[in-house]
Amino acid sequence: MSDLKLDNLHKSYGATKVIHGIDMQIDSGDFCVFVGPSGCGKSTLLRMIAGLESVTSGTVSIEGQPVNHVPAAQRGLAMVFQSYALYPHMSVRQNLSFGLENLHMPKQEVQERINEAARMLQIEELMDRKPGQLSGGQRQRIAIGRAVVREPKIFLFDEPLSNLDAELRVAMRAEISDLHSRLGNTMIYVTHDQVEAMTMADKIAVLRKGLVEQFGRPLDLFNYPANRFVAGFIGSPAMNFADGVIKGASVVLNAGGTIPLPQGRFDTTDGQQVTFGIRASHLSLDENGPIKLSVKTVEQLGTESYVYGQLDDGTDFALHQLGQVDVQQGTVINLAPTLDHSHLFDTDSGLTQRIDTAPT
Amino acid sequence: MSDLKLDNLHKSYGATKVIHGIDMQIDSGDFCVFVGPSGCGKSTLLRMIAGLESVTSGTVSIEGQPVNHVPAAQRGLAMVFQSYALYPHMSVRQNLSFGLENLHMPKQEVQERINEAARMLQIEELMDRKPGQLSGGQRQRIAIGRAVVREPKIFLFDEPLSNLDAELRVAMRAEISDLHSRLGNTMIYVTHDQVEAMTMADKIAVLRKGLVEQFGRPLDLFNYPANRFVAGFIGSPAMNFADGVIKGASVVLNAGGTIPLPQGRFDTTDGQQVTFGIRASHLSLDENGPIKLSVKTVEQLGTESYVYGQLDDGTDFALHQLGQVDVQQGTVINLAPTLDHSHLFDTDSGLTQRIDTAPT
Amino acid sequence: MLEALSNAFSGNSWPVAFIIYLVLGWVLVRPKGRIGGQLMSALGWPIEIAQRLSGATGLPYIFLLPNMIIFGLFTFSPLFINIGFSVTEGQSILFENRPYAGLDNARRLLAETQIDTGALNREDDKFLQAVADTFIFVIFQVPIMVFFALCTALALNREIIGRAFWRSVFFYPVMLSPVVVGFLWTLILKRQGVLSITLMNWGIIDEPIQWLTDPSWTMFWSVAVYTWAHLGFYMLILLAGLQAIPKDLYEAARMDGTNEWRMLRRITLPLLMPTLLVVTILSLVKAFQAFEELYALNVRWISLVAYIFETSGLRGQPTANGLGIAATASLLVALVLILLSLLQIYLTSRQSK
Amino acid sequence: DEVTFLCYQDGNECEVFAGMADAFTAKTGHTVKIDTVGYDVIRDQLENQLQTGSAPDVARVTNLGGLNQYYLDLTPHVDTAYWEENYSATLPWFRQPGGEDAGIYGWMTQLTVTGPYVNVSMFEDAGVDMPGAGATWDDWANALREVKETLGITAGLAMDRTAHRMAGPAFSYGAKFFDDTGTPILVDEGFRKFAETFVGWHKEGLMPAEGWPAGSGTQYKNAAPLFLSGEVAMHMSGSWMINNYAENIKDFDWKVVPAPCGDGGCGAMPGGAGVVAFKSSKSPEAAAMWVDFLAQTENTEAFAAATRNIPAHAGLQASGVDYGDASPVVAASLSVFAANAGEAAKSTPQAYTFQGYNKNHVIYGIVPDYLTKAITGEITLDAALEAIDADVAAKIAE
Amino acid sequence: MSAVWQFLGRRQGHDKLSAVDWIVYIYLFFGFLIIALPVGWIALNSVKSAFQLEKQDLSILPSDFNRVARATVYSDQGREIFIINDLPDWVLNWKDLRPEERAARNVPEFLASYEGRAFYALRSHLGQVPTQVRALIAAQNMPEWLLRYPSMSATARQDVDIEAALAGRSADERRLLGEFLGLAPYEPNRMISQILVTAPHPETGVVQNYAVPKFDPSRPFLAARDATNATSGVIRIPTETATATRTINPSWGNYIEPLSGKAFGVNVNFAACFTNSVLVTLIATLLTLLINSMAAFSLSKYKFRGQTMFFVIILATLMVPPTITLVGVFKAINATGLSGSIWGVIIPGAATPAGVFLLRQYMLTIPDELIEAARMDAASEWKVYWRIILPLALPALAALGILSVIWRWNDLILPMVAIATTKEAYTIQLCLLEFRGEHLSQEHYRLAMTMVSLIPTTLVFVFLQKHITTGVANTGLK
Ligand SMILES: Nc1ncnc2c1ncn2[C@@H]1O[C@H](COP(=O)(O)OP(=O)(O)OP(=O)(O)O)[C@@H](O)[C@H]1O
Ligand SMILES: Nc1ncnc2c1ncn2[C@@H]1O[C@H](COP(=O)(O)OP(=O)(O)OP(=O)(O)O)[C@@H](O)[C@H]1O
Ligand SMILES: [Mg+2]
Ligand SMILES: [Mg+2]
């Protein structure tokens, strides 16, 4: 039972309010990812959980116990830093044992834990090197190892992959997921890369400006975004949005074109200003399609192709197709949305107009 | 006629040979991209063309004239550097005019050229700012602007996008393509990102260890890679490779499984050691498929999914599917290759065994 | 004011030559643009011309040249002149009046008996005394200063109120000239100075102490004042070193449950080691050269440099062979200092690898 | 021609010269450019300048014999009879050692003599009578001890830190300084006796810790601040101090007393600064004329009166000088010093030999260097005396 | 109050000051005292009068005790010592007055109001004796040698008949002449100022005024003379029972006189010293920046044969100060004809190895691409240097500039070697040393001028503090 509960959490730096009241319940064993644009408060939130940052108001509870005033070291958490924060002057072994020695743990046990962690992370041959002699991926493993040996209730990761190159990131992503499934610990993971979020998380919390916009399973966020922000943030390329007005059972786009809405899916009123949303891969080339796109760039990647262009009113739109498409720059093409995958948001509030919710 | 010819070009730093003899003919108006792994000599080659690096042997000719001994400034080229190399202490206007002033061009003309470039690149409102006050994308435009005002015969770009974040890269990619189509200049562009290469190039030169492995149009390289290196380098995720032996008209994989080969497509001999290649998106889930994959990770990105795993002999294999797939980690799945898109390379030489070539 | 200006620029051909040089440059290069730019363009005309004539190959040497000329004239040639003095004898400063003496000066400096009179030599005692005293000074001064510089840097690296103010306060003595430092402290430490009198008023001592010349105090105060004057500089370097230690290491250590003392011992000090090394060696070299402050303080003992200074007779009465003896001593000191600095270069370059 | 004149001053000497230069110009048409510098420069830099050929034409120097090799012989330019008549006592000081040199090299601007200043008020307050004429150093030491005890002052006697001031008392104790051939024999019976006494005075506290022990090496140290601040009752200094004391002492009475005596006589060191012309001068004629001009009786008298110094001019010494508005105290002090010089010439002629010795400056520094160590107990007195002998021998060997 | 504590105690992440914080603040505060007190002490002393400094008076503020006059008069009754109360200040301070100030006083009229021994004391004190004697001799046609008599040699005195010359003079005239000539029983009368203290009489306990020579709290007793009853002798009064009053009186003249060249006994003109130092500092710094940056550019941005050698040489000699090779430096400066002018300080000091090192390290961080871009832009190498490198190295140049200002301003050795003989070229540090004269020490001027010499560096410090701390720290040298 190493669950974590945040209760109306606030944080201000002097007059600057950074976290505006966050409630969250993270269950034991969950892999929870915090995503959000830069500066939204992800790191701050994580550091408050870790105890590195004081709480302005609200409660952080671990296993039901409020820990607001418990020092970082005694909360039973471990943190993996973005830059890993390995002690550069200590060997890998010393890096791993340092925290345990601070607890005055018997040598014997320290040794055992380290060896076990080393085996698990396959870093046995690196034990006597210094961090400076390791590659990025190896360092990452040591940083995780340092957390693992402490057998924490909860792991915290603050953008642990953002310093790596693309290739290594992919590999590390897999390793961390793997680790999670083996250890079964609660993990909280901060990133602003939503590919990471989508592929690793059991639950994702999307943050914006110190508030949680949506908290749920990845595919639920993808398929049932609660508002326009989440819809735009989750998924790559970002969802296409076009403003329009409800006319009966259809949306009339400001750029021209009428899109019929599936029945009973959206809760709309006539004349409502709405934003229609559709992902690039849910569009198809269709001579009769209601959406007219002036093509600006075509990117042929071999196995897939992207077409970028603008609607008549200047709204950017993108099309994503598998395989190689036969579209020329400068032409105008017609696109049809897959109606099942279309979204509708209130233009003013940004809230989804969908009635159905994700299956639980 | 601003074509560029490289003739048996060599470069050594002391005893280290970096470029081993490169012949290449780049036509006027072409957008030519050099790709290759890190350290393969792309930058060196570009800098030799620019005149920033001396030529050890061989000739660089521009418009038919050898320019080996012409100083950089007088070759009529312009270069956009990876970090842009904007003069941080000068305003945008001064950055643009610095080179022209060095040529003692009349003030009037300098002004005109700058204004024109500014208009073209839409940086008119930025003219009095310093580079430090600009966003990454804006800086990029200034760097290009600095090249444009010199009205060079040839543009050289050395990984101009590698410092940008993913989003901006996509946008900038499009802008550079756009600029090329408007100016019609010859452009040489170095990158090691093959997405960039694929989407921007008229011609791609794949370099490895100081030699050109293949030089041709992007889709030709994608569809008809000349050897295993090019096949593995072009396309993302990288092509899957599995070693095997030719048995009649089929390949018997070392990991088990027999794959029939399309008739008349490959030039093989019985018992030949070959490497079978197939892209992740040219595999499909098929209960009878010859390829058995133990699934290690599944990445569901919403619109597409990747499945990573290993064959029986430990070879890594990946599957790429549109949409969301229903595969569980730890299970074994069967895959069938799309035979039309399969590749075959000699294991020793790595050369393709394909008979047909790209249409010209 | 005006008089000083005219004194500075008249009676010497340097300024005139410089103006001619500039005008020539201006004519040759014909710079355009703003006045500052024109000046700079004109200033560099030899380099411009050289590049036009022969390309870029020789340019690095030309860029080095002005510095190297001055450097050669006033830093190198003195070294060689000193070698010249050390192998010749006599009282004259002119080489034509100084007969060659081989190693005689070294013997005058170091031998047991005086080679000119056959009596017991006194010079070696003095020199060795200076060496010994200087060593004592260095041995105490360097660790003490490094320790306090470190303490101060550690204190200033904390989140304290008015950090910039404190930093300035501790750096300020570095801005004072040795003359001022000497004068300042003499005022306090002389027999009837504030220190003695205050201590007497408090009943700690019974009669005033001659802090700077009392043999049991002179070294203490030499070290103290020298440390006072230079601490700020090293404090600053250490502070920079401390600030270069990534903050997240401390956070990681906090997560690891490290207490402050252990944080200092296991994290801060090891990571500060490279800087500490630089500081130690720099201050070691500086302490060996200690002279000006001590000279201004009139301390009782004679440092190595003061010995050279005095013996050379450049100030004070020239004595027979004093120049040669001083030159020999100076070469010995220079050798030690160069070895020390090479050690530093070696250690720092090893560190940076 | 222009004569460049490097001058230093204890009081207003250079200003007086400046006034006289106008008269000189009026008389001869040559001009004099006076460069007033600190004494340091004369002592430390002049010889280097001479060696490197950047010296002035004329300078006011104190190292009279030491710079002989650079002097311009004035004989061809001046009335030698006049010079020999009036300056015969001091002319040898400028000459080369050995006695063969008969050149005329310089004009003594003034005669200085060492001697003690006494804080009269202290004696009065303590109720101690000052020893009279002919008293010995021991008498004075006893009297000073009493004053010190009674008033609770720091010390009784202060002395500038140089062998020049110490020489007079040492002569009194019988130190010879030179053997019959004129070579220095510093440490003899008399010297040793005085050195013992001198160290003893320091140890018992009769002499202050701020005096000799406060200096290091061969460094000179002026004890005047001690006297000025009322810390000591007696200052062993010299006639050059009169003006300073007359000017600056406002809160006690002071006077100059005759040099105390001893077995060896009543020792005092004569000395003074001389104006010399240098061979390297570009206009030797004019330089020589300037020196000669200054040496003329009326000018010398005017100079002595204006600067309140004892003239080195024999005739003026006898006839006295009209010191104008000078306070009677100053005049009286000057005459005591002049008497000291006369007494020394009789009872301790080695004082004049020492003053004329061209390496006396070396000895001035070496003696304090080692005696200080003996005072502070770093070495024994015997070792110090031995060291003085050896070091002097090494330093003057050529 | 609690708000103040809260402010002082505010910290991120922690609620209140820990024990370590307290120790740190105490440490810093002591450090502050150790640094600020000596500097403050100098500042306070710099406005004390010469007299106060001479007396080693350690009171914090510039002040003097209230004083009375003590006179010693010789007459046929012998020596008499007595106190004169209530003299005007100008009489007490007669010796401090400038000639014109003395002339402005009507001394005879003042003297007329006194008689007896006080009159004789004051007549001597106010310098009337020589004047009156001169007048008397002229008026009475007495022999002129009388004026020379005080300095006449003993033998010469035997040749003159002093009694005859004085024959027939009145008692008053005899007394005047006796004081002047030092004829027994007369000696020159004297008058001095003493400190006025109030204390109970040690035996009777009556509180009254005394005159004492020195008020030194460290001495157990004072040798005091009754300031009211003129004839009593010296009594000892315990120091702690005595009180003396002081008047605060800053001597701004300590500053004004040397700066306007009017200071007595100071051979240098401080305004000129200051100008010289400013010139030296400015020109040398500009020159240093120019040639050091050129060398650093060459060493950091080119590859050429001998590069490492040049660099190592520069580094190695970084550690050999001119102090050690002094004689050689002296010869070199002389040989180049620079000695005796400020150029002898400016030029040899311009090529600082430390500066080259600092700039080189900084220039290494400037991307080569910028230089290549400029070359592509057809800029000449000189232009690359001053249009690209110099502006970009500005932070390092600023740091070096500040360092150079400090070095040059505070430099002592080079000026001593190069310009010690030419007073016109003296820098401020040399001028400060001027006070260590042979016989005079003008401590009050020296203190004041020391304060003046601190002004520029302090200004530099205050305004460029940030650059120093970042610039110096990041290069690690001095
Ligand atoms: N010490 C501080 N003082 C004041 N404001 C701060 C402080 N630390 C962070 N902030 C502000 O708090 C907000 C949240 O910062 P935080 O580091 O949590 O963002 P983030 O979501 O982690 O961003 P990123 O993705 O860039 O790491 C930012 O606007 C930041 O400017
Ligand atoms: N100045 C040099 N001296 C010696 N070797 C060099 C030098 N410059 C480059 N090299 C070597 O030449 C090879 C090619 O370098 P180059 O910079 O051209 O690679 P690249 O293809 O641009 O790599 P990247 O993608 O990392 O930029 C590398 O192995 C490099 O180590
Ligand atoms: Mg963050
Ligand atoms: Mg490259």
Side-chain angles (χ1 to χ4, degrees), chain D residues 14-336:
Chain D
C14 298
E15 286 143 39
V16 176
F17 282 133
M20 296 164 73
D22 297 337
F24 175 68
T25 307
K27 188 175 162 210
T28 64
H30 300 302
T31 56
V32 181
K33 180 171 171 279
I34 298 181
D35 211 355
T36 309
V37 296
Y39 178 64
D40 283 19
V41 173
I42 301 285
R43 191 186 58 192
D44 301 338
Q45 299 283 337
L46 182 60
E47 182 157 8
N48 288 320
Q49 287 185 341
L50 288 164
Q51 286 183 351
T52 52
S54 54
D57 298 325
V58 177
R60 182 165 185 248
V61 299
T62 54
N63 183 8
L64 306 176
L67 300 175
N68 174 279
Q69 54 175 315
Y70 307 107
Y71 293 160
L72 173 72
D73 190 353
L74 306 178
T75 319
H77 308 285
V78 301
D79 173 3
T80 46
Y82 168 79
W83 277 76
E84 288 292 353
E85 182 192 335
N86 288 305
Y87 295 106
S88 57
T90 54
L91 282 181
W93 291 353
F94 295 92
R95 290 179 182 149
Q96 254 168 28
E100 286 133 38
D101 189 353
I104 293 173
Y105 297 108
W107 167 68
M108 287 303 285
T109 59
Q110 85 263 53
L111 189 68
T112 60
V113 193
T114 60
Y117 291 79
V118 178
N119 184 326
V120 178
S121 300
M122 277 189 184
F123 276 83
E124 289 166 355
D125 286 347
V128 177
D129 285 331
M130 265 186 258
T136 64
W137 275 105
D138 289 337
D139 298 336
W140 274 103
N142 289 331
L144 289 169
R145 237 171 249 135
E146 210 182 325
V147 171
K148 171 169 141 41
E149 293 306 309
T150 321
L151 297 183
I153 52 175
T154 321
L157 164 68
M159 184 187 282
D160 299 338
R161 191 174 185 274
T162 162
H164 182 261
R165 306 302 184 269
M166 207 199 90
F171 297 146
S172 303
Y173 275 75
K176 285 275 168 276
F177 276 67
F178 295 91
D179 65 11
D180 298 339
T181 64
T183 23
I185 39 142
L186 210 48
V187 180
D188 58 6
E189 204 46 48
F191 189 89
R192 178 178 297 275
K193 218 161 83 193
F194 179 69
E196 275 165 14
T197 316
F198 187 70
V199 171
W201 285 348
H202 277 100
K203 294 227 161 114
E204 67 168 294
L206 183 64
M207 293 190 72
E210 295 92 325
W212 280 44
S216 63
T218 59
Q219 187 187 42
Y220 171 80
K221 201 159 168 22
N222 185 5
L226 292 171
F227 190 68
L228 279 167
S229 66
E231 295 289 318
V232 294
M234 181 188 256
H235 177 205
M236 178 62 193
S237 181
S239 56
W240 56 86
M241 215 62 188
I242 291 175
N243 290 310
N244 180 16
Y245 282 174
E247 191 78 32
N248 289 315
I249 295 180
K250 282 168 273 184
D251 64 346
F252 61 84
D253 284 341
W254 57 274
K255 71 189 273 190
V256 177
V257 296
C261 305
D263 304 339
C266 308
M269 269 299 282
V275 172
V276 295
F278 297 114
K279 274 191 265 197
S280 55
S281 167
K282 285 185 198 70
S283 44
E285 182 77 19
M289 280 167 80
W290 168 239
V291 179
D292 189 45
F293 175 79
L294 293 173
Q296 295 312 306
T297 309
E298 60 279 14
N299 292 329
T300 302
E301 181 173 15
F303 181 80
T307 62
R308 284 150 200 192
N309 270 313
I310 307 168
H313 188 287
L316 287 173
Q317 276 174 5
S319 67
V321 175
D322 175 1
Y323 286 106
D325 281 346
S327 109
V329 181
V330 171
S333 305
L334 284 169
S335 87
V336 174

Side-chain angles (χ1 to χ4, degrees), chain B residues 186-231:
Chain B
T186 309
M187 289 191 177
I188 303 179
Y189 188 104
V190 167
T191 179
H192 55 218
D193 176 331
Q194 22 86 20
V195 176
E196 267 173 43
M198 292 300 288
T199 56
M200 301 173 82
D202 290 325
K203 288 264 188 70
I204 294 180
V206 180
L207 274 79
R208 182 162 67 146
K209 295 184 182 161
L211 281 171
V212 175
E213 293 281 323
Q214 194 171 359
F215 183 48
R217 287 181 298 176
L219 288 181
D220 291 349
L221 265 61
F222 186 86
N223 295 325
Y224 304 92
N227 53 36
R228 190 184 146 157
F229 175 76
V230 175

Side-chain angles (χ1 to χ4, degrees), chain B residues 13 16 18 37-44 159 192:
Chain B
Y13 290 110
T16 330
V18 176
S38 189
C40 68
K42 305 180 294 293
S43 297
T44 308
E159 308 197 22
H192 55 218

Side-chain angles (χ1 to χ4, degrees), chain A residues 73-268:
Chain A
Q74 284 150 41
R75 294 195 183 183
L77 313 176
M79 182 151 169
V80 178
F81 291 83
Q82 173 168 3
S83 56
Y84 310 148
L86 297 179
Y87 309 124
H89 55 298
M90 299 185 192
S91 69
V92 168
R93 185 182 306 282
Q94 288 168 324
N95 261 286
L96 296 188
S97 66
F98 186 71
L100 301 180
E101 282 165 14
N102 287 340
L103 303 172
H104 303 289
M105 189 178 281
K107 276 231 169 90
Q108 182 63 30
E109 199 183 334
V110 170
Q111 214 48 50
E112 271 167 24
R113 285 215 199 169
I114 290 178
N115 289 344
E116 197 192 308
R119 196 159 15 81
M120 190 173 77
L121 295 164
Q122 298 169 4
I123 48 174
E124 282 131 320
E125 354 41 288
L126 309 176
M127 293 308 272
D128 294 317
R129 296 212 208 150
K130 296 251 170 96
Q133 301 163 317
L134 300 177
S135 74
Q138 290 169 329
R139 280 184 218 182
Q140 225 258 347
R141 271 183 250 167
I142 310 303
I144 294 175
R146 192 169 61 178
V148 167
V149 291
R150 303 191 55 218
E151 300 185 352
K153 295 174 250 174
I154 304 179
F155 271 99
L156 308 174
F157 294 84
D158 192 356
E159 307 196 22
L161 304 183
S162 63
N163 281 348
L164 302 182
D165 64 34
E167 221 160 319
L168 204 51
R169 263 167 106 140
V170 174
M172 283 296 122
R173 213 149 81 189
E175 284 207 27
I176 293 178
S177 293
D178 207 46
L179 187 78
H180 177 234
S181 56
R182 267 184 293 152
L183 292 178
N185 282 28
T186 310
M187 288 190 178
I188 303 178
Y189 188 105
V190 166
T191 180
H192 55 219
D193 175 330
Q194 21 88 19
V195 176
E196 265 174 43
M198 292 300 288
T199 55
M200 302 172 80
D202 292 325
K203 288 263 188 65
I204 295 180
V206 181
L207 274 77
R208 182 163 67 145
K209 296 185 182 160
L211 282 172
V212 177
E213 293 280 324
Q214 194 170 359
F215 182 49
R217 285 178 303 175
L219 289 182
D220 290 350
L221 265 60
F222 186 86
N223 295 325
Y224 304 93
N227 54 35
R228 192 185 144 155
F229 174 75
V230 176
F233 194 78
I234 300 284
S236 166
M239 189 184 276
N240 297 309
F241 293 106
D243 288 341
V245 186
I246 296 290
K247 278 252 171 77
S250 310
V251 189
V252 179
L253 300 184
N254 297 353
T258 306
I259 297 162
L261 296 175
Q263 287 245 326
R265 184 82 170 279
F266 300 110
D267 169 25
T268 55

